[in-house]
Amino acid sequence: MSAEQKELTQTPLLKIWVPGMGSSLGQRRGSSRPQFTNCPTMIVMVGLPARGKTYISKKLTRYLNWIGVPTQVFNLGQYRREVLQTYKNYEFFRPDNEEAMKIRRAYASNALKDIASYFTKEQGQVAVLDATNTTRERRGVIINFAKEKGYKVFFIESVCDDPEIIEANTMQVKLSSPDYENYDKEEALVDFLKRIDCYKMSYVPLDEEKDRHLSFIKIFNVGSRYLVNRVQDHIQSRIVYYLMNIHVTPRSIYLSRHGESELNLLGRIGGDTGLSSQGQKYAKALAEFIRGQSIKDLKVWTSHMKRTIQTAEALGVPYEQWKALNEIDAGVCEEMTYEEIQATHPEEFALRDQDKYRYRYPKGESYEDLVHRLEPVIMELERQENVLVICHQAVMRCLLAYFLDKSEDDLPYLKCPLHTVLKLTPLAYGCKVESFYLNIQAVNTHRDRPTNVNVARKPEEALQTVPEHL
Amino acid sequence: MRGADRSKNTQNLDKRVCMTNCPTLIVTVGLPARGKTYISKKLTRYLNWIDVPTKEFNVGQYRRECVKIYKSFEFFRPDNEEGLKIRKQCALAALNDVRQFLMDEGGQVAVFDATNTTRERRETILRFAEQNGFKVFFVESVCEDPDVIAENIVQVKLGSPDYTHCNTEEAVADFMKRIKCYENSYQPLDEELDGDLSFIKIIDVGRRYLVNRVQDHIQSRIVYYLMNIHITPRSIYLCRHGESDLNIKGRIGGDSGLSAKGQEFAKSLGQFIQSQNIHDLKVWTSQMKRTIQTAEAVGVPYEQWKALNEIDAGVCEELMYEEIQQRYPLEFALRDQDKYRYRYPKGESYEDLVQRLEPVIMELERQENVLVICHQAVMRCLLAYFLDKTAEELPYLKCPLHTVLKLTPVAYGCKVESVCLNVDAVNTHRDRPSNVNVHRTAEDALQTVPPHL
């Protein structure tokens, strides 16, 4: 290795220091935190129907994508529906149905091919194979496939004997499945239970002894107990931690920004000012709204910034402060108006419009940094039940993107207006959103992406979408 | 951090999310030489570092205080009435101290380190906890691998006060008989019979875990931590970036490049690392120019962590101490009064830094050989974690430029080897001055500022 010192330059968008010439030894430049994923990982679900496999698959995928690990679900039920077009009845799943078995093996094999393609052609890092995978034979096929290709395998098995939970699952997600479009509820339930029976006969759960060389987590009764075997690496450890923190108890999460602040009125970003008089009105209205919702055991969280704390104070209930909920640090642009940013840092302003998710303010943060900062908040939100989070525009966009599975492109432009509470309630595989505008006037702080994001654009073009202010 | 003052009723000023409403009693379970004390001490160190006041209570120590001289394994025989009486007394004495710690001394977590191998003993503890309103979380270590057990015995048992007057063979023989005394009455935690209890069963040093009924945030964090630690021998190398241009000028923070001496250090570091012949070394840096320049000279791939960036000095970024005294004399004094909790205006505190570094520590626990090239305040925080330093000590730990610290886990702690790479550098360490009063003279304030250009 040559003894000469390479010159470092800072990449304009991400503000990452890289050696001036060509190749370098640093990895994963774009992220504020290394993800430690070297080879692709297959997550393989295991379990009888109605055990929450699809729920877990979708939720886990949403989480991994949000923390920056490209992940995709491959649901065999969907492959089946594409091949068969119409579902007749449970007989398709009978273990002695030779013809059906052939078809099922075929589309399962297609799913594996698609997984390989996802990893090699689409830069995927994690693939979640959502299927029953209830026999050792089937799991063997998957393991061999992964071994051949050099993928890691991690099994997630959901074991549940509680008939109430199974019935609730069935009612929530099965009866409205495309399979049962032409059935009435009673018939659908009967057919589905027979479907489960078809699998029960040949179900071989993961075994601590026989499968001791595999990496897996066994989830019993929706999380009251877990068996974890041979966690191989960082991502599997994160996955286990996540799975052990999620729950299915019904609850709602309320997201709101602080009341309108003095800097908001002046069209200035960042800073740490107090509420304007409209903002104070909002704080009172928020208190009334929360009382009206009659929420059981509500936890209230704020950032460390004056404006969220002032808002929370009006509620008259205990609240907890998280530094992690502080607004995005705009570095040298703190407390500037967009006009001033355009005047003093026109190139930065353009770069931000080019890639608002990854763009890092000089001496500040990017949305990507914000997501990593917020990860412990999300983890704790998963553990909790009813929570009201009083935060800031960029922060709220990141949290919302997690719950509503928004992409990195959409995230920085999500609409999170002042004086509006979003109530998120988990439902089936997703999240129901109710928006409550509390009827207190406030400035608009949302700046859309302008048409011209070129560094050489005119100031008018740059400032085209700036909302009005004093 | 232990020693840091946390007022319970300043809820509005309390910066941290409350993780424990009622105190938690962690109870170890397992035969001798299964790593219970290792886990207890490590977990206690971690919890204190993340600001959860924790203390371990080792019943073996109570026994040694009671029975001044250890004769032989016969003391532990299940039919030794007198032995049993004394051992029960010791356990109760320890529980008493647990109560005092959790109720009167502001403790949040107590780790009750003993074999606790019978259901009867565990029942006693559960009743005690219920009476006092403590949550209970069991940590059981189950291991049948004879190599692991033998290694444990060599590492920590032979050096125990119990065996100071024995030679190695005698000690090992006696200790194996001691384990036998427990084996017959050992009732491991059972998923059915103990289904209502909260616990983690660690099998074969982390090959497998059984986790039951995690009740709250702190138990979840404990489980995550226990699932990430390992005992594979390895070393962690900590060093700062090479001397930077701002270092020479006596300015704090900023994002400057290496000075000529700094570049020399980077080269020396590269040579040092080569000479150490480290297996599979991972190199981590911050996202600041000076650590990256240093890593580039080492010549192996490195990972950048924003979390390893130096403490943000807010409005004081790039100022000299003399300038800080001039412009912000009040802030300067407040910092000297409580350097751990003091937050720079629009900046961070050491306390914030620890929170920011927690994922780095977690990943360091997972990894094996790692070189971390970071910054003064960051290195102090990491060092405090490995060497179990208090909040008072942490901000004054000596982390000079151009010196590599090699940390190697050994027995219950960490061996530190300091390697100075013999490249001159300025001193950037500012001790706490004698006068921290807000009304002190500029002279008094600047008394301990190290020399610079």
Side-chain angles (χ1 to χ4, degrees):
Chain A
M1 149 94 206
S2 134
E4 84 179 9
Q5 211 73 39
K6 293 202 193 115
E7 261 310 301
L8 293 187
T9 51
Q10 198 178 46
T11 61
L13 191 89
L14 305 171
K15 308 294 187 297
I16 302 277
W17 290 102
V18 294
M21 311 288 135
S23 87
S24 73
L25 303 159
Q27 319 255 40
R28 297 217 61 83
R29 286 280 156 59
S31 188
S32 60
R33 135 172 214 162
Q35 293 295 11
F36 300 104
T37 44
N38 351 352
C39 68
T41 302
M42 277 183 67
I43 302 210
V44 181
M45 304 302 299
V46 179
L48 294 173
R51 263 59 176 179
K53 296 185 301 299
T54 301
Y55 176 81
I56 291 170
S57 300
K58 286 181 183 263
K59 205 170 158 76
L60 184 59
T61 299
R62 178 162 57 86
Y63 169 70
L64 291 174
N65 277 315
W66 187 75
I67 62 169
V69 180
T71 306
Q72 193 173 304
V73 181
F74 295 82
N75 175 287
L76 281 201
Q78 239 146 275
Y79 278 80
R80 169 181 48 83
R81 279 184 278 274
E82 260 155 60
V83 170
L84 289 190
Q85 303 297 323
T86 34
Y87 172 75
K88 275 209 217 98
N89 61 33
Y90 78 95
E91 307 251 353
F92 181 80
F93 295 97
R94 287 177 54 159
D96 55 0
N97 186 338
E98 283 292 344
E99 203 193 303
M101 276 298 183
K102 238 170 49 189
I103 298 174
R104 291 163 75 189
R105 269 195 281 273
Y107 63 67
S109 169
N110 285 340
L112 290 181
K113 285 204 194 82
D114 286 349
I115 288 176
S117 176
Y118 175 64
F119 286 147
T120 46
K121 304 204 184 99
E122 296 176 54
Q123 278 85 50
Q125 256 160 43
V126 177
V128 183
L129 181 58
D130 178 16
T132 49
N133 298 316
T134 39
T135 62
R136 195 159 275 129
E137 185 222 338
R138 168 112 298 256
R139 298 195 289 265
V141 170
I142 297 167
I143 293 168
N144 287 337
F145 166 80
K147 200 189 266 189
E148 232 179 279
K149 302 275 188 185
Y151 307 151
K152 287 187 180 172
V153 181
F154 187 74
F155 291 94
I156 299 177
E157 181 174 25
S158 173
V159 175
C160 181
D161 304 318
D162 185 336
E164 273 178 40
I165 296 177
I166 295 165
E167 189 181 315
N169 277 4
T170 308
M171 301 300 288
Q172 270 227 344
V173 294
K174 296 298 176 183
L175 303 188
S176 50
S177 141
D179 291 345
Y180 293 115
E181 254 170 359
N182 301 317
Y183 278 68
D184 80 30
K185 280 222 169 106
E186 306 284 305
E187 295 171 337
L189 190 53
V190 167
D191 183 272
F192 192 72
L193 292 176
K194 291 210 186 101
R195 207 154 109 178
I196 298 182
D197 283 336
C198 292
Y199 285 92
K200 269 192 180 161
M201 237 36 103
S202 55
Y203 180 23
V204 180
L206 288 168
D207 182 79
E208 341 190 342
E209 272 312 304
K210 301 209 183 91
D211 297 304
R212 65 180 177 281
H213 296 301
L214 302 181
S215 296
F216 63 83
I217 178 170
K218 238 168 145 49
I219 306 172
F220 295 90
N221 289 326
V222 205
S224 72
R225 196 162 77 238
Y226 305 91
L227 180 68
V228 180
N229 198 65
R230 285 192 187 267
V231 170
Q232 298 173 48
D233 61 16
H234 173 95
I235 196 67
Q236 289 178 19
S237 164
R238 296 281 287 282
I239 288 166
V240 165
Y241 184 42
Y242 181 72
L243 292 175
M244 288 176 43
N245 281 319
I246 61 181
H247 67 77
V248 293
T249 310
R251 50 81 172 254
S252 290
I253 294 168
Y254 296 79
L255 299 182
S256 156
R257 288 168 68 187
H258 52 82
E260 183 194 74
S261 75
E262 279 152 30
L263 284 184
N264 286 147
L265 276 177
L266 299 171
R268 295 182 174 283
I269 65 172
D272 193 9
T273 47
L275 300 180
S276 65
S277 57
Q278 288 298 109
Q280 288 171 33
K281 283 201 194 122
Y282 172 71
K284 291 202 191 85
L286 180 62
E288 253 182 67
F289 169 76
I290 290 298
R291 271 194 295 272
Q293 288 274 304
S294 288
I295 307 157
K296 176 173 106 103
D297 239 350
L298 178 71
K299 299 272 170 22
V300 179
W301 297 352
T302 69
S303 68
H304 275 190
M305 298 181 135
K306 191 174 181 183
R307 49 200 190 277
T308 58
I309 295 169
Q310 273 183 310
T311 311
E313 280 287 324
L315 297 175
V317 295
Y319 56 90
E320 296 176 17
Q321 300 180 22
W322 289 74
K323 187 168 194 280
L325 284 172
N326 280 4
E327 182 57 316
I328 192 172
D329 183 356
V332 300
C333 298
E334 276 285 316
E335 301 197 43
M336 289 191 181
T337 59
Y338 289 118
E339 291 84 351
E340 287 167 356
I341 300 176
Q342 168 59 29
T344 53
H345 304 85
E347 189 182 312
E348 293 292 329
F349 203 37
L351 286 173
R352 185 157 208 255
D353 285 335
Q354 287 175 19
D355 188 346
K356 197 175 177 192
Y357 183 73
R358 281 181 219 290
Y359 170 82
R360 191 184 273 171
Y361 280 106
K363 302 195 176 176
E365 295 177 302
S366 62
Y367 271 93
E368 191 176 21
D369 294 331
L370 207 49
V371 161
H372 287 125
R373 195 185 352 120
L374 287 168
E375 207 258 340
V377 176
I378 286 294
M379 198 62 89
E380 190 55 23
L381 274 173
E382 285 295 345
R383 290 199 56 79
Q384 293 286 343
E385 293 184 20
N386 293 317
V387 187
L388 163 64
V389 184
I390 303 173
C391 55
H392 306 266
Q393 185 168 245
V395 170
M396 187 162 159
R397 285 171 171 155
C398 292
L399 298 178
L400 199 56
Y402 167 74
F403 289 108
L404 302 186
D405 204 16
K406 296 296 185 186
S407 67
E408 293 172 355
D409 293 319
D410 292 338
L411 186 162
Y413 297 102
L414 292 175
K415 286 216 159 70
C416 295
L418 287 165
H419 299 187
T420 306
V421 185
L422 290 185
K423 177 179 178 180
L424 305 168
T425 312
L427 186 63
Y429 295 138
C431 221
K432 176 172 87 169
V433 194
E434 294 164 81
S435 172
F436 298 92
Y437 172 58
L438 296 194
N439 250 324
I440 310 279
Q441 276 269 41
V443 295
N444 172 27
T445 57
H446 185 95
R447 178 178 166 268
D448 270 312
R449 190 181 198 260
T451 352
N452 191 346
V453 300
N454 195 287
V455 157
R457 65 192 175 174
K458 300 201 269 308
E460 305 89 78
E461 291 175 304
L463 300 172
Q464 176 196 26
T465 54
V466 171
E468 291 172 16
H469 56 88
L470 290 175
Chain B
M1 299 290 303
R2 280 199 323 280
D5 182 44
R6 176 146 302 275
S7 162
K8 287 228 157 130
N9 51 16
T10 52
Q11 171 255 302
N12 284 4
L13 301 172
D14 196 300
K15 292 159 192 214
R16 185 160 306 258
V17 180
C18 177
M19 293 199 285
T20 47
N21 347 356
C22 57
T24 302
L25 179 58
I26 298 188
V27 182
T28 63
V29 179
L31 293 173
R34 262 57 176 182
K36 297 183 301 298
T37 301
Y38 175 81
I39 289 169
S40 300
K41 287 183 181 268
K42 207 169 158 74
L43 187 56
T44 299
R45 177 163 58 88
Y46 167 70
L47 290 173
N48 278 313
W49 188 74
I50 62 169
D51 218 346
V52 179
T54 304
K55 193 171 182 198
E56 17 129 17
F57 298 83
N58 175 286
V59 175
Q61 235 145 281
Y62 284 77
R63 192 251 310 151
R64 275 185 281 276
E65 262 153 59
C66 189
V67 181
K68 295 302 179 187
I69 302 178
Y70 174 76
K71 283 208 208 99
S72 77
F73 77 95
E74 307 257 355
F75 180 79
F76 293 98
R77 284 179 55 160
D79 55 359
N80 182 341
E81 288 286 346
E82 202 191 308
L84 284 171
K85 215 169 84 176
I86 295 175
R87 288 157 70 193
K88 179 137 198 215
Q89 270 169 12
C90 290
L92 293 176
L95 284 180
N96 235 340
D97 288 351
V98 163
R99 182 194 297 124
Q100 195 177 326
F101 174 66
L102 295 179
M103 312 233 55
D104 305 328
E105 294 172 25
Q108 255 164 40
V109 177
V111 183
F112 188 69
D113 176 18
T115 48
N116 299 316
T117 39
T118 61
R119 203 156 268 128
E120 185 211 338
R121 167 52 46 88
R122 299 195 289 265
E123 258 306 306
T124 309
I125 298 169
L126 284 164
R127 273 196 304 270
F128 162 82
E130 198 177 336
Q131 273 164 15
N132 290 289
F134 305 150
K135 287 188 183 173
V136 180
F137 188 74
F138 292 96
V139 176
E140 180 174 28
S141 173
V142 174
C143 179
E144 292 315 315
D145 184 335
D147 291 332
V148 174
I149 296 166
E151 182 58 26
N152 276 3
I153 296 177
V154 166
Q155 277 233 345
V156 294
K157 296 300 178 185
L158 301 186
S160 146
D162 291 345
Y163 294 115
T164 35
H165 302 295
C166 295
N167 72 34
T168 305
E169 264 120 44
E170 291 167 345
V172 173
D174 183 272
F175 196 77
M176 297 304 279
K177 292 202 190 111
R178 204 153 113 180
I179 298 180
K180 275 258 165 298
C181 295
Y182 286 89
E183 269 175 4
N184 287 340
S185 57
Y186 181 21
Q187 295 165 300
L189 289 168
D190 181 81
E191 18 190 303
E192 303 291 321
L193 300 171
D194 300 301
D196 287 329
L197 302 180
S198 297
F199 65 82
I200 178 170
K201 217 191 230 294
I202 304 170
I203 300 151
D204 288 337
V205 204
R207 182 74 31 91
R208 199 159 74 230
Y209 304 90
L210 182 67
V211 180
N212 199 62
R213 293 197 183 272
V214 170
Q215 299 172 49
D216 60 18
H217 177 98
I218 193 66
Q219 290 179 18
S220 163
R221 293 284 286 279
I222 288 166
V223 165
Y224 184 41
Y225 182 72
L226 292 176
M227 287 176 49
N228 279 319
I229 61 181
H230 67 78
I231 55 169
T232 311
R234 51 80 172 254
S235 290
I236 294 169
Y237 297 78
L238 299 182
C239 79
R240 289 167 69 187
H241 52 81
E243 184 194 73
S244 74
D245 288 325
L246 285 182
N247 285 145
I248 302 184
K249 299 190 184 127
R251 295 182 175 281
I252 65 172
D255 194 11
S256 57
L258 300 179
S259 66
K261 288 273 158 204
Q263 290 175 29
E264 236 186 273
F265 167 72
K267 285 195 202 102
S268 299
L269 181 63
Q271 285 163 5
F272 170 72
I273 291 299
Q274 284 254 345
S275 71
Q276 288 273 300
N277 269 322
I278 307 157
H279 170 74
D280 228 2
L281 178 73
K282 300 277 176 3
V283 179
W284 296 353
T285 69
S286 69
Q287 285 189 342
M288 297 182 133
K289 190 174 183 183
R290 50 201 189 276
T291 56
I292 296 168
Q293 272 185 308
T294 310
E296 282 284 327
V298 175
V300 295
Y302 55 90
E303 299 266 8
Q304 297 182 19
W305 288 77
K306 189 170 195 276
L308 285 172
N309 280 5
E310 182 58 315
I311 191 171
D312 184 356
V315 300
C316 298
E317 276 284 319
E318 302 197 43
L319 296 184
M320 297 187 284
Y321 289 118
E322 293 83 349
E323 289 167 347
I324 300 177
Q325 167 58 26
Q326 203 177 40
R327 305 184 203 184
Y328 308 99
L330 174 62
E331 294 292 329
F332 203 37
L334 288 176
R335 186 160 205 252
D336 284 334
Q337 287 176 19
D338 188 349
K339 198 176 177 191
Y340 183 72
R341 283 191 208 288
Y342 170 82
R343 190 184 277 169
Y344 280 107
K346 302 197 177 176
E348 295 177 301
S349 62
Y350 271 93
E351 190 177 21
D352 294 330
L353 208 49
V354 161
Q355 211 177 19
R356 167 153 65 89
L357 286 168
E358 204 259 343
V360 177
I361 286 294
M362 198 61 89
E363 192 55 28
L364 273 173
E365 286 295 346
R366 288 198 57 79
Q367 293 285 344
E368 293 182 22
N369 293 317
V370 187
L371 164 64
V372 183
I373 303 173
C374 54
H375 305 266
Q376 184 166 247
V378 169
M379 187 163 159
R380 285 170 170 156
C381 293
L382 298 178
L383 200 55
Y385 167 74
F386 288 108
L387 303 187
D388 205 15
K389 299 295 184 186
T390 64
E392 276 73 45
E393 296 168 307
L394 186 161
Y396 297 101
L397 292 175
K398 286 217 161 67
C399 295
L401 287 165
H402 299 187
T403 307
V404 184
L405 291 185
K406 177 179 177 180
L407 306 168
T408 312
V410 78
Y412 295 139
C414 222
K415 176 172 85 169
V416 195
E417 295 164 76
S418 173
V419 184
C420 175
L421 293 193
N422 259 321
V423 179
D424 279 340
V426 295
N427 172 26
T428 58
H429 185 97
R430 179 178 166 267
D431 269 312
R432 191 182 197 260
S434 9
N435 192 347
V436 299
N437 194 289
V438 156
H439 301 293
R440 62 192 177 174
T441 59
E443 241 165 28
D444 279 350
L446 299 171
Q447 175 197 24
T448 54
V449 172
H452 57 86
L453 288 177

